[in-house]
Amino acid sequence: MPRNVPAVSNVNPAIATWTGPLGLPDFSSIDDRDFETAFAVALPAHLAEIDAIASNPEEPTFKNTISALELAGDLLTKASAIFWNMAGANTNDTVQKLERKLSPELSRHHSAIMMNRALFSRIDALDQQRKSLGLDAEADRVLELTWKSFVRSGANLNETDQIQLAAINERLATLGTTFSQNILAEERDYALVLETSEDMAGLPDTLISSMSVAAGERGHRGKHAVTLSRSIIEPFLTFSERRDLRETAFKAWVGRGEGTGERDNRPLVIEMVRLRAEKAALLGYDSFAHYKLDDTMAKTPENVRSLLGTVWEKARGRAAMEAAELSQLIAAEGLNHDVAPWDWRHYSEKTRAARYDFNEAEIRPYLQLEKMIDAAFHTAETLFGITFRKHDDVCSYHPDVRVFEVLDATGRRIAIFLGDYFARPSKRSGAWMSAFQDQHKLATGSNGKSQTPIVLNVMNFAKAPAGEPILITMDDARTLFHEFGHALHGMLSDVTYPSISGTSVSRDFVELPSQLFEHWLTVPEVLQRFAVHHRTGEAIPQTLLDKMGAAEKFNKGFANVKFISSAIVDMAFHSLDPEHAANVDPMAFQADVLARLRMPAAIVMRHATPNFGHVFSGDGYSAGYYSYMWSGVLDADAFQAFKEAGDPFDTAIARKLQRYIYSSGGSMDPEDAYIAFRGKLPSPDALLEKEGLA
Ligand SMILES: [Zn+2]
């Protein structure tokens, strides 16, 4: 009997059994300190269940092995769902400390299961007779995917290699957590404090008031602070007339992760790149990129490079034209300097305002957060026949969180949706979708009844003073639609097995439902109905929509160069063999890749290596940053189907979209799913058209 394992009776029952309204956990009776005990019980309990499956004296069957595996670890699933949602949306020191402790522990736990020989031999035996088991298509795919994921996790390796792989995974988990906590700490601590009115030249009032709040929070009351949060640094670089301050702030922003001592992320990158290369070699792949891409839609690094290369040359050409225009404007102001990276946003905004007679501030009075949330609901209702019923009486983990019941056309509850829209100090920056509970039908037996998905959208909008409406930017509205698209992917899921539910799809397919949903934001019917002036209630004028439409393809060279260069550097790091990876100098390597690309001097990568969180704060988008563009090819082509039909809400196309894309989870191969929806695979043409690069 292992020591120090708390008894099940010590686990707060509110974590194990969700008794709150609408099937939510009863958050009011959960304390942050309860999680440590819950995990201490849940991990060994899960392992005991796994051992029971592995040592079952009966012959392996799909039910006693695969289905049993799918359902194992209920307490761990529940505790993890609550804990990791809190870690992102409502954190504190207790939660952060446990996060650091848990990441290597969970890695060890995962390795112990995936490298369990007795368990794998049952899965392997089933896989060998897969075609004669009489499985339906979905079960057949779950067996195939399970087998693959065990092999990809080292189930087939000899014991020495397994021990080495487990050690690599554990070390990578710790390095990833340290990488992201370093960036968070730098973002929290940095402030460029502005003292005089000359320092604020050019800044709009809305920015000045958020800079005043930021200064107050950092102990500089009465002053103004430029911080590294995107909502402050981006508008500062855009509007500040002070070139010297723009340069200082810009260098601090792109230099995140290059700090000294413990906060320097560069040594972590070297170690991670080497460990990933070693991991891929252990598993028999040429490089980590080959390993990562093997189970994606793109399949090989060559396919990724081919797409990125096609768009890169066009984007670079466009960026050169944009830079020439900015130079002219600088000269016209009587200045005599090249376009530097800290000049780009500033002069491109001036160019845009002049050329299209349009600026963001004109649209803002028409974009009320509440109306834009309604617009996203309305779009989903029209496309998919679902409705949203708000429950004001239901409180979840924070008073600001709104709770909705989602009903299908027959009035049946299909999901619970939580909208957590406002920024607060306990919340990570950014916007994301996550879930407390995934849809599946396995636990409910053969009656076809689903476990109800409980899905969240978490955002960081600033609250307005009492009595005033919350106005957002077009970018914010796009983010709202994007995350709601992910939410729909989770809520409309209609599969049997948990492991392929909702967003559990290939990384380069998962941005399709989200990026596709963004297209409906700018559909005229939607804007005319929901983009209404907060004071007069008047719909957004057509002239303003026209100007906005005309300006849409502006500055796309810049945006694509930033994105693609990051994606290519990500691929380059993860294409190294272990020997080269061990000797890599991250900054010199990055510079070398960019030089070979002939990166424009006035543009920098969207994410410099030491702060490239997508790639280094976890495994998520490593050798995978390209995914946004891969999904971009799909979403541009997918929306084209509605354009061709001449109706953005065409019923027949919407029905196919729901069936094959939003509801099918990972039950189909993504290529097959796309072809079932669209009749063919896409070419990059629609993407190039959308980006104005055709
Ligand atoms: Zn997304």
Side-chain angles (χ1 to χ4, degrees):
M1 187 68 187
R3 286 184 306 151
N4 301 327
V5 173
V8 178
S9 57
N10 290 337
V11 176
N12 182 340
I15 293 179
T17 319
W18 295 0
T19 55
L22 300 171
L24 288 166
D26 177 10
F27 291 99
S28 66
S29 45
I30 300 174
D31 185 279
D32 289 330
R33 282 161 303 188
D34 292 336
F35 290 110
E36 181 136 27
T37 321
F39 279 104
V41 171
L43 292 169
H46 189 206
L47 286 184
E49 281 180 86
I50 296 293
D51 275 340
I53 298 168
S55 60
N56 188 340
E58 287 169 31
E59 283 294 298
T61 63
F62 187 87
K63 191 162 186 282
N64 74 18
T65 304
I66 305 297
S67 295
L69 195 56
E70 291 271 323
L71 289 174
D74 188 53
L75 178 59
L76 181 59
T77 306
K78 286 199 161 76
S80 299
I82 307 174
F83 179 75
W84 294 109
N85 277 298
M86 292 306 101
N90 211 17
T91 193
N92 55 48
D93 288 346
T94 309
V95 171
Q96 282 194 330
K97 200 174 145 207
L98 184 55
E99 225 183 322
R100 288 195 294 274
K101 180 169 174 274
L102 275 178
S103 39
E105 260 179 50
L106 287 171
S107 173
R108 271 200 299 280
H109 178 75
H110 184 72
S111 292
I113 294 169
M114 303 309 274
M115 295 175 186
N116 182 318
R117 290 193 184 280
L119 178 62
F120 181 65
S121 74
R122 294 177 76 90
I123 296 167
D124 195 35
L126 288 168
D127 190 66
Q128 284 179 29
Q129 4 157 3
R130 184 151 60 88
K131 290 299 161 201
S132 58
L133 292 175
L135 301 174
D136 63 29
E138 197 184 321
D140 183 89
R141 184 159 161 85
V142 168
L143 174 52
E144 186 190 358
L145 290 175
T146 305
W147 185 86
K148 272 193 192 157
S149 104
F150 271 77
V151 172
R152 285 173 57 76
S153 303
N156 261 337
L157 299 182
N158 67 43
E159 208 183 322
T160 318
D161 287 353
Q162 281 191 340
I163 291 168
Q164 197 186 341
L165 180 60
I168 289 175
N169 286 336
E170 193 181 327
R171 179 70 185 147
L172 280 171
T174 297
L175 288 167
T177 306
T178 312
F179 186 97
S180 67
Q181 292 194 348
N182 281 348
I183 298 175
L184 277 176
E186 275 203 41
E187 288 178 351
R188 195 188 53 219
D189 293 353
Y190 180 85
L192 171 62
V193 180
L194 305 187
E195 311 266 353
T196 66
S197 58
E198 290 86 72
D199 289 348
M200 312 263 238
L203 305 183
D205 290 345
T206 46
L207 177 59
I208 291 176
S209 56
S210 27
M211 283 167 53
S212 152
V213 175
E217 284 168 359
R218 286 163 174 76
H220 305 282
R221 277 178 70 100
K223 294 182 181 166
H224 297 85
V226 183
T227 68
L228 302 179
S229 128
R230 213 168 257 282
S231 62
I232 288 186
I233 187 80
E234 292 231 44
F236 180 78
L237 292 170
T238 304
F239 295 107
S240 173
E241 292 287 345
R242 285 283 300 272
R243 186 166 197 246
D244 56 335
L245 296 178
R246 289 203 308 266
E247 179 175 356
T248 306
F250 182 87
K251 285 182 171 165
W253 189 35
V254 301
R256 281 169 303 149
E258 282 184 68
T260 46
E262 276 183 8
R263 284 205 192 155
D264 188 352
N265 272 344
R266 289 169 294 185
L268 308 187
V269 169
I270 301 173
E271 193 177 349
M272 290 178 99
V273 169
R274 174 177 62 81
L275 290 173
R276 285 171 175 170
E278 284 175 9
K279 172 175 174 166
L282 274 175
L283 291 164
Y285 290 89
D286 288 347
S287 72
F288 188 73
H290 285 88
Y291 163 70
K292 268 308 281 281
L293 289 162
D294 190 44
D295 72 341
T296 62
M297 253 186 121
K299 294 190 175 70
T300 65
E302 292 68 35
N303 291 339
V304 170
R305 288 202 185 89
S306 156
L307 171 66
L308 294 175
T310 305
V311 190
W312 171 256
E313 283 311 322
K314 291 175 190 292
R316 214 175 64 87
R318 175 58 49 85
M321 289 158 63
E322 291 166 3
E325 244 182 314
L326 304 189
S327 288
Q328 281 173 13
L329 195 56
I330 291 171
E333 287 190 357
L335 298 168
N336 178 28
H337 62 75
D338 289 338
V339 189
W342 45 92
D343 296 322
W344 193 292
R345 286 175 179 78
H346 183 70
Y347 286 99
S348 75
E349 181 59 27
K350 283 182 171 171
T351 309
R352 180 168 82 156
R355 169 142 19 117
Y356 301 101
D357 178 30
F358 164 74
N359 70 56
E360 244 342 287
E362 285 182 81
I363 301 190
R364 218 176 157 92
Y366 295 94
L367 297 179
Q368 304 170 62
L369 174 62
E370 300 306 325
K371 293 278 181 193
M372 287 298 115
I373 294 170
D374 287 349
F377 285 169
H378 172 80
T379 301
E381 287 171 6
T382 316
L383 285 169
F384 306 125
I386 54 177
T387 48
F388 292 80
R389 183 188 293 163
K390 190 157 184 249
H391 283 261
D392 288 317
D393 51 326
V394 177
C395 192
S396 72
Y397 60 92
H398 189 279
D400 280 350
V401 180
R402 305 166 190 196
V403 180
F404 300 85
E405 200 181 352
V406 187
L407 310 169
D408 71 6
T410 66
R412 191 177 59 100
R413 179 197 294 171
I414 58 161
I416 303 298
F417 175 70
L418 277 64
D420 182 358
Y421 295 110
F422 300 118
R424 58 177 166 263
S426 61
K427 197 191 271 189
R428 185 152 62 74
S429 64
W432 63 93
M433 167 268 191
S434 62
F436 279 114
Q437 183 168 285
D438 291 327
Q439 179 276 336
H440 70 83
K441 296 175 191 165
L442 200 52
T444 53
S446 55
N447 63 4
K449 212 170 161 294
S450 276
Q451 169 170 287
T452 308
I454 303 175
V455 171
L456 294 94
N457 271 175
V458 185
M459 317 263 158
N460 271 288
F461 299 122
K463 281 186 182 175
E468 284 179 36
I470 296 151
L471 302 176
I472 60 176
T473 65
M474 203 61 193
D475 264 355
D476 291 337
R478 208 164 274 127
T479 303
L480 187 77
F481 270 63
H482 179 101
E483 298 308 333
F484 195 65
H486 282 308
L488 287 167
H489 200 191
M491 295 190 291
L492 293 171
S493 176
D494 186 15
V495 300
T496 302
Y497 299 94
S499 66
I500 54 162
S501 180
T503 54
S504 300
V505 297
S506 173
R507 180 64 64 201
D508 50 10
F509 188 74
V510 80
E511 298 299 330
L512 168 61
S514 54
Q515 294 183 167
L516 176 57
F517 201 73
E518 292 176 39
H519 289 260
W520 277 279
L521 169 62
T522 46
V523 157
E525 291 95 304
V526 174
L527 281 179
Q528 279 154 12
R529 179 161 170 188
F530 294 97
V532 297
H533 197 282
H534 69 95
R535 223 171 274 128
T536 63
E538 164 217 4
I540 190 164
Q542 190 57 43
T543 47
L544 194 50
L545 286 180
D546 291 344
K547 284 197 277 182
M548 190 171 85
E552 217 161 57
K553 288 171 186 162
F554 178 69
N555 213 28
K556 288 288 192 181
F558 173 74
N560 279 287
V561 161
K562 279 196 310 170
F563 173 82
I564 301 170
S565 55
S566 295
I568 289 176
V569 168
D570 166 33
M571 289 303 289
F573 270 116
H574 295 109
S575 297
L576 293 170
D577 60 40
E579 196 189 327
H580 286 95
N583 296 308
V584 78
D585 170 347
M587 302 317 282
F589 183 80
Q590 172 187 303
D592 183 51
V593 174
L594 296 178
R596 272 183 284 135
L597 280 173
R598 294 185 298 147
M599 178 79 172
I603 305 179
V604 300
M605 293 162 67
R606 187 171 163 85
H607 306 281
T609 299
N611 56 60
F612 204 166
H614 284 82
V615 171
F616 294 111
S617 67
D619 220 15
Y621 281 81
S622 53
Y625 194 61
Y626 79 91
S627 298
Y628 292 96
M629 184 162 277
W630 194 274
S631 290
V633 170
L634 300 172
D635 77 66
D637 178 75
F639 194 69
Q640 200 63 30
F642 289 93
K643 284 188 178 165
E644 286 161 11
D647 176 1
F649 295 101
D650 184 277
T651 316
I653 299 172
R655 201 165 292 145
K656 274 204 216 170
L657 182 66
Q658 177 167 0
R659 176 163 176 199
Y660 296 113
I661 307 294
Y662 282 91
S663 296
S664 63
S667 67
M668 293 173 81
D669 175 85
E671 246 176 55
D672 295 344
Y674 194 84
I675 293 171
F677 161 62
R678 185 73 166 117
K680 61 176 170 59
L681 283 175
S683 77
D685 294 348
L687 173 76
L688 291 170
E689 172 68 30
K690 181 182 155 215
E691 296 297 302
L693 299 173

